[in-house]
Amino acid sequence: MSINHIVTPLDSSILDSKDQYVFYHKKVDFALKELIVGVQQNGLCTPQEIVFFKQYCDLLLYSIEAMRVKYMYDEEDNMKVDVTDSGFPNYLEFRYLYNDLSLRDNYLNKLKDVSELQDEFLDQLLRKKQPVRRDKLFQAASIVYYTSVEQQYIFNRFVQGKIIKAPEGSKATYMTSWSFYDVSLNRPFICYMYFDYDGKDPLKEKEDIYDTLKTVADRKMNMDTMAYGIDRRLKNVFPKHIKRLDIGAFHNVFAKDDNDLTHTILEAIGKKEIPLEAYALSFKVHEVFTGGQFKEGGYFSKQTLQNWGTPIKEGYVFAPHRIIQLLYNKNPEIMNKLAKPPFQVSDLKIDKN
């Protein structure tokens, strides 16, 4: 089945051909790279935040490419794009990749030798003048997958960044970052925390800090709830500013969610008003700042906690010019509530021949 068969919103969200895997990966790769440039150009993140943002996006793209290689010729299983408010792969796909690569050696021992497979390919193509069978292509793809994909670069449910000195002009002395893939929303989130530390070196408590973030800040929740949970568990860490980036939904032909913007794009694709490559990407920035401190606890167990201000919530949309016009025409109430007018990004053009 070619990408030209991806025509209606009623299609299954399962990728079931080589063309669809290639097409989907190109769409995600292109959209995320456009997003990185757009976020930087429009000042939605600081230069240091952009560095971390790009690193987490690279892990996400690496994982999706690994899925493409793994599933491209597999006749028994297919990659699933999430059907909730996402457009990204289902979280279980990432977990399956990670667990599957733990058994790399077991699978490699069962695969044919590369030279033997090469001889079979040449015999089929040159002597028999026939295309290589799909099961042979799957064997070749499996060899590439198990010998080249590194488990450490798979976008896991929680990915922890390092603690570093905060850039000059920040609200605090130190900063750290982390990313998580929300298992209910099936979307990637990237977080930053700027904090002061009661001591000389927060790296002495890095394991406690990392464990706390993984425990209380690994899913979407109210920002003040997240901030208080972190603050409460770390007595020597004083968070001053927490920022969360919500990437998605990714509105495109593979998304089958209840999002109004997605429905508008799918309807227009179904009517052939816009091409299959059409896309838009929602992007939300939530922040919370401390407004002072207070002490809590008994005489011998007082802890300094932060008074958190009202969370700041801003929504944005990145889309090509034609899609921006479409969304304004069909969903003006949503578009007019954005923090800023939609940011224009480039059209994706793919040769479908």
PDB file of all heavy atoms in Angstrom, residues 15 48 62 73 110 212 262 335:
ATOM      1  N   LEU A  15       0.557   1.691  10.879  1.00  0.00           N
ATOM      2  CA  LEU A  15       1.360   1.801   9.669  1.00  0.00           C
ATOM      3  C   LEU A  15       1.616   0.390   9.147  1.00  0.00           C
ATOM      4  O   LEU A  15       2.137  -0.456   9.859  1.00  0.00           O
ATOM      5  CB  LEU A  15       2.686   2.500   9.976  1.00  0.00           C
ATOM      6  CG  LEU A  15       2.600   3.858  10.689  1.00  0.00           C
ATOM      7  CD1 LEU A  15       3.971   4.509  10.725  1.00  0.00           C
ATOM      8  CD2 LEU A  15       1.600   4.768  10.020  1.00  0.00           C
ATOM      9  N   GLN A  48      20.219  27.997  26.186  1.00  0.00           N
ATOM     10  CA  GLN A  48      20.563  26.741  26.870  1.00  0.00           C
ATOM     11  C   GLN A  48      19.384  25.771  26.843  1.00  0.00           C
ATOM     12  O   GLN A  48      19.562  24.562  26.669  1.00  0.00           O
ATOM     13  CB  GLN A  48      20.969  27.021  28.315  1.00  0.00           C
ATOM     14  CG  GLN A  48      21.424  25.780  29.087  1.00  0.00           C
ATOM     15  CD  GLN A  48      22.610  25.088  28.447  1.00  0.00           C
ATOM     16  OE1 GLN A  48      23.694  25.655  28.348  1.00  0.00           O
ATOM     17  NE2 GLN A  48      22.413  23.857  27.981  1.00  0.00           N
ATOM     18  N   TYR A  62      15.493   9.478  16.851  1.00  0.00           N
ATOM     19  CA  TYR A  62      16.287   8.245  16.775  1.00  0.00           C
ATOM     20  C   TYR A  62      15.392   7.033  17.046  1.00  0.00           C
ATOM     21  O   TYR A  62      15.471   6.009  16.350  1.00  0.00           O
ATOM     22  CB  TYR A  62      17.420   8.311  17.798  1.00  0.00           C
ATOM     23  CG  TYR A  62      18.347   7.117  17.802  1.00  0.00           C
ATOM     24  CD1 TYR A  62      19.476   7.087  16.982  1.00  0.00           C
ATOM     25  CD2 TYR A  62      18.116   6.034  18.640  1.00  0.00           C
ATOM     26  CE1 TYR A  62      20.338   5.998  16.993  1.00  0.00           C
ATOM     27  CE2 TYR A  62      18.970   4.943  18.655  1.00  0.00           C
ATOM     28  CZ  TYR A  62      20.086   4.930  17.832  1.00  0.00           C
ATOM     29  OH  TYR A  62      20.934   3.847  17.848  1.00  0.00           O
ATOM     30  N   TYR A  73       9.543  -4.260   7.214  1.00  0.00           N
ATOM     31  CA  TYR A  73       9.250  -5.472   6.437  1.00  0.00           C
ATOM     32  C   TYR A  73       8.629  -6.573   7.292  1.00  0.00           C
ATOM     33  O   TYR A  73       8.558  -7.725   6.881  1.00  0.00           O
ATOM     34  CB  TYR A  73      10.531  -5.997   5.778  1.00  0.00           C
ATOM     35  CG  TYR A  73      11.130  -5.025   4.790  1.00  0.00           C
ATOM     36  CD1 TYR A  73      12.292  -4.329   5.097  1.00  0.00           C
ATOM     37  CD2 TYR A  73      10.526  -4.794   3.556  1.00  0.00           C
ATOM     38  CE1 TYR A  73      12.849  -3.429   4.194  1.00  0.00           C
ATOM     39  CE2 TYR A  73      11.070  -3.894   2.653  1.00  0.00           C
ATOM     40  CZ  TYR A  73      12.230  -3.221   2.975  1.00  0.00           C
ATOM     41  OH  TYR A  73      12.774  -2.330   2.093  1.00  0.00           O
ATOM     42  N   LYS A 110      20.236 -15.898  16.302  1.00  0.00           N
ATOM     43  CA  LYS A 110      19.262 -16.641  15.502  1.00  0.00           C
ATOM     44  C   LYS A 110      19.209 -16.166  14.050  1.00  0.00           C
ATOM     45  O   LYS A 110      18.586 -16.813  13.207  1.00  0.00           O
ATOM     46  CB  LYS A 110      17.867 -16.504  16.122  1.00  0.00           C
ATOM     47  CG  LYS A 110      17.750 -17.105  17.520  1.00  0.00           C
ATOM     48  CD  LYS A 110      16.366 -16.863  18.102  1.00  0.00           C
ATOM     49  CE  LYS A 110      16.267 -17.419  19.524  1.00  0.00           C
ATOM     50  NZ  LYS A 110      14.928 -17.143  20.122  1.00  0.00           N
ATOM     51  N   THR A 212      13.843  12.167  42.804  1.00  0.00           N
ATOM     52  CA  THR A 212      12.649  12.966  43.096  1.00  0.00           C
ATOM     53  C   THR A 212      11.939  13.379  41.816  1.00  0.00           C
ATOM     54  O   THR A 212      10.713  13.261  41.696  1.00  0.00           O
ATOM     55  CB  THR A 212      13.031  14.213  43.913  1.00  0.00           C
ATOM     56  OG1 THR A 212      13.497  13.801  45.200  1.00  0.00           O
ATOM     57  CG2 THR A 212      11.839  15.146  44.078  1.00  0.00           C
ATOM     58  N   THR A 262      -6.916  18.726  14.465  1.00  0.00           N
ATOM     59  CA  THR A 262      -6.652  17.497  13.710  1.00  0.00           C
ATOM     60  C   THR A 262      -7.816  17.185  12.780  1.00  0.00           C
ATOM     61  O   THR A 262      -7.621  16.846  11.607  1.00  0.00           O
ATOM     62  CB  THR A 262      -6.420  16.312  14.668  1.00  0.00           C
ATOM     63  OG1 THR A 262      -5.289  16.579  15.493  1.00  0.00           O
ATOM     64  CG2 THR A 262      -6.165  15.029  13.891  1.00  0.00           C
ATOM     65  N   MET A 335      -7.815  29.516  17.467  1.00  0.00           N
ATOM     66  CA  MET A 335      -6.656  30.275  16.997  1.00  0.00           C
ATOM     67  C   MET A 335      -6.547  31.635  17.678  1.00  0.00           C
ATOM     68  O   MET A 335      -5.447  32.124  17.951  1.00  0.00           O
ATOM     69  CB  MET A 335      -6.729  30.444  15.477  1.00  0.00           C
ATOM     70  CG  MET A 335      -6.851  29.130  14.706  1.00  0.00           C
ATOM     71  SD  MET A 335      -5.506  27.972  15.053  1.00  0.00           S
ATOM     72  CE  MET A 335      -4.207  28.714  14.071  1.00  0.00           C
TER      73      MET A 335
END
